[in-house]
Amino acid sequence: MRAPAPPLSRRRVLAGTGLAVVSALLPRAAHGAADGFRILRAHPGSARLRGPDQPPTAVWGYDGTVPGPVLRVRRGEELRVRLVNELPEETVIHWHGLRLPNAMDGVPHLTQHPVAPGQSFDYRFVVPDAGTFWYHSHRFSSEQQERGLYGGLIVEEPAPVDVDRDVLLILDDWRLTPEGANDEASFRSFHDAAHAGRLGRHFTVNGGPTLDLPVRANERIRLRLVNAANARVMPLRLERLAARVMAIDGQPAEPFLARESRLTLGPGNRADLFVDATLEPGASAALILEDVRAEVPLVRLVTEGPPARAAPRGEPPPLPANPLPERMNFPAALRIDLPLEGGAMSPLMMRRGEVPGHGIDPAARIWTMAGQASSGHDGPPLFSAKRGRTVVIAMPNRTAFPHAMHLHGHHFRLLDNLDDGWKPFWLDTVVIDRQRTARIAFVADNPGKWMIHCHMLEHQETGMAAWFEVT
Ligand SMILES: [Cu+2]
């Protein structure tokens, strides 16, 4: 079944052309402080998640908006953000995918004290990698991120990348009541936590239901996709146009054409696509979320106006490399087995005789990693690695659900099944389907205490979290 596309007048149409599009697309207020900090106020607000002609939904947002303002910084520059907590509860910001100093990672009780209401915290660090990143709350994540506390972070390459447009698309799903309110009654649902996490049936791109993106024929568009959902794995398909994958999880990949222009993003994943607008003027192509129940068109690339050039551009060079480790020392690697277990239909829950109902007991631990259920900051570290050591982690998923395993402070390679060869890209979050095993490898080159956890936030909060130490 195909969801009907709203009439054009109800769709949001991007104004402007060229590289100005990104800043026109999302709020980017100038909230500077005298000392060079970008002030980011976390507070309640409202967002028109269902479109301009529907009543807004109450949210929590950075500067009150969903998504929060797009932050831009150039690689090698210092990011300075002052988080001001104007929420009724404590919060923090995690800079997802950034290989930053440990004290700036924004993990409560592991790298910093939570920021109390009325208090502020200064995040300040040099950004090592160019690419598409995002920031979000890491405190009571399943609620705070679901209320809207997330935003995009674009780290620009040292020299401008040769594209005609650069568009950030942050995707989310929401569980709304019939009146359009965020369904707060089902926050911390035990049922969600024990199953696939909180899934919503209302989809948004940049905080609205759909987006029209006017393009000119033969333009090259860089689409920066971010999956900001709590738990939804998003299979995406671009109609009628080729999608060249240039980067995944912020890091440049060896470019490749996505087969049938399909790409699946787990919670937390990003992808940078180059798309050449090869359709004739007047034609359009949709970016579709292939949900099990319906195909949901999220974005329409609408070709209009005079062509940008007579023919599409040639094959692009790869994005400039970031300073990632070039080799790994597998013979001397620290090898860790990290089986993922628990959840509904698991022996763990059968033994405990849990009766799924409403409300997660704060002590509910229904998922385990290597036999341990943890908040990710209590208990001993999962392992300790000397700085510079190669670490290989095997994660057999022995549960009935997929998991999106996220590593803090490092990017990793996804290893082949038969040997230690790897896929031609880096990741910071990998989706592991049920009853499958993923093996990842990274160089533990960033000192500190780092989390590894499921980015399905309801799983993270019910045990599927751990931390490790690089000394
Ligand atoms: Cu999970």
Side-chain angles (χ1 to χ4, degrees):
M1 192 185 84
R2 178 176 292 263
L8 188 65
S9 63
R10 295 191 178 197
R11 298 175 72 98
R12 291 173 307 146
V13 178
L14 274 182
T17 56
L19 294 171
V21 162
V22 164
S23 47
L25 187 60
L26 295 164
R28 194 186 179 190
H31 295 298
D35 49 5
F37 277 80
R38 169 66 161 87
I39 295 172
L40 213 50
R41 299 179 188 279
H43 62 80
S46 65
R48 295 197 177 269
L49 303 179
R50 295 179 300 157
D53 53 353
Q54 295 286 328
T57 301
V59 297
W60 290 1
Y62 297 109
D63 292 349
T65 66
V66 174
V70 180
L71 303 178
R72 274 185 175 267
V73 63
R74 194 173 297 269
R75 186 176 93 182
E77 287 180 355
E78 192 175 61
L79 182 75
R80 292 184 204 177
V81 170
R82 178 163 300 144
L83 166 65
V84 179
N85 184 3
E86 297 174 357
L87 301 169
E89 63 186 29
E90 59 191 38
T91 192
V92 290
I93 293 180
H94 171 57
W95 308 92
H96 186 117
L98 288 184
R99 301 185 300 141
L100 39 57
N102 191 239
M104 298 288 106
D105 196 40
V107 176
H109 305 297
L110 189 68
T111 69
Q112 70 168 95
H113 294 294
V115 183
Q119 301 296 303
S120 69
F121 187 88
D122 286 354
Y123 293 96
R124 176 177 189 166
F125 52 90
V126 172
V127 178
D129 298 323
T132 302
F133 300 91
W134 66 302
Y135 60 98
H136 60 81
S137 167
H138 214 287
R139 184 62 174 151
F140 309 125
S141 308
S142 71
E143 264 192 57
Q144 290 197 2
Q145 190 181 307
E146 183 66 6
R147 288 180 184 274
L149 286 167
Y150 61 78
L153 169 59
I154 293 177
V155 184
E156 294 167 351
E157 289 78 7
V161 171
D162 187 17
V163 294
D164 299 303
R165 286 171 201 271
D166 186 326
V167 181
L168 176 64
L169 300 170
I170 306 187
L171 313 180
D172 198 358
D173 68 343
W174 301 76
R175 186 181 292 170
L176 301 181
T177 66
E179 296 74 37
N182 209 338
D183 182 10
E184 298 181 12
S186 64
F187 280 143
R188 307 199 168 213
S189 144
F190 186 94
H191 184 274
D192 286 346
H195 292 77
R198 182 185 178 93
L199 304 175
R201 297 290 316 156
H202 181 76
F203 300 99
T204 57
V205 50
N206 296 348
T210 56
L211 193 67
D212 272 7
L213 181 62
V215 299
R216 290 165 63 190
N218 296 325
E219 275 189 331
R220 173 161 290 166
I221 304 112
R222 179 178 188 169
L223 295 180
R224 302 173 183 263
L225 303 172
V226 180
N227 180 348
N230 273 28
R232 180 178 291 276
V233 176
M234 296 187 177
L236 301 168
R237 177 168 60 87
L238 181 62
E239 287 181 320
R240 306 180 66 196
L241 293 171
R244 193 179 298 273
V245 179
M246 300 299 292
I248 302 180
D249 284 357
Q251 302 292 0
E254 294 171 29
F256 62 94
L257 285 172
R259 193 179 302 278
E260 298 173 336
S261 295
R262 287 173 198 271
L263 189 75
T264 295
L265 296 182
N269 279 142
R270 288 88 64 215
D272 288 52
L273 307 178
F274 278 10
V275 175
D276 291 323
T278 50
L279 299 182
E280 65 280 11
S284 69
L287 177 69
I288 291 170
L289 176 73
E290 296 191 302
D291 182 53
V292 287
R293 288 202 242 165
E295 294 206 329
V296 183
L298 293 173
V299 180
R300 248 179 11 155
L301 277 68
V302 183
T303 315
E304 56 185 42
R309 55 186 63 82
R313 296 170 177 231
E315 201 170 313
L319 293 170
N322 287 323
L324 287 152
E326 283 178 12
R327 47 180 51 88
M328 300 196 194
N329 185 351
F330 285 105
L334 177 62
R335 290 182 183 259
I336 305 288
D337 280 320
L338 199 56
L340 312 176
E341 293 170 309
M345 294 169 272
S346 71
L348 177 77
M349 284 189 65
M350 305 287 186
R351 268 202 309 277
R352 289 169 46 154
E354 300 275 10
V355 181
H358 247 2
I360 297 173
D361 173 351
R365 297 290 167 89
I366 53 186
W367 301 93
T368 63
M369 297 167 64
Q372 298 298 314
S374 165
S375 65
H377 57 76
D378 54 5
L382 187 66
F383 62 87
S384 182
K386 282 264 178 278
R387 186 177 186 178
R389 188 153 186 209
T390 296
V391 179
V392 176
I393 304 179
M395 290 180 280
N397 177 357
R398 297 179 187 149
T399 78
F401 299 90
H403 299 286
M405 302 309 297
H406 174 47
L407 184 70
H408 283 222
H410 301 77
H411 275 73
F412 56 82
R413 293 291 198 178
L414 187 58
L415 298 184
D416 297 334
N417 285 333
L418 293 178
D419 58 25
D420 289 339
W422 58 54
K423 299 279 182 286
F425 47 78
W426 295 86
L427 297 170
D428 59 47
T429 305
V430 61
V431 177
I432 310 172
D433 211 350
R434 54 187 181 168
Q435 303 302 324
R436 297 293 178 99
T437 296
R439 289 190 312 128
I440 65 170
F442 65 101
V443 178
D445 56 4
N446 200 352
K449 297 176 174 178
W450 303 103
M451 271 186 89
I452 177 170
H453 65 87
C454 183
H455 217 283
M456 293 166 173
L457 304 175
E458 293 75 19
H459 295 173
Q460 173 195 339
E461 289 180 349
T462 51
M464 196 170 268
W467 66 281
F468 64 96
E469 193 169 30
V470 181
T471 58

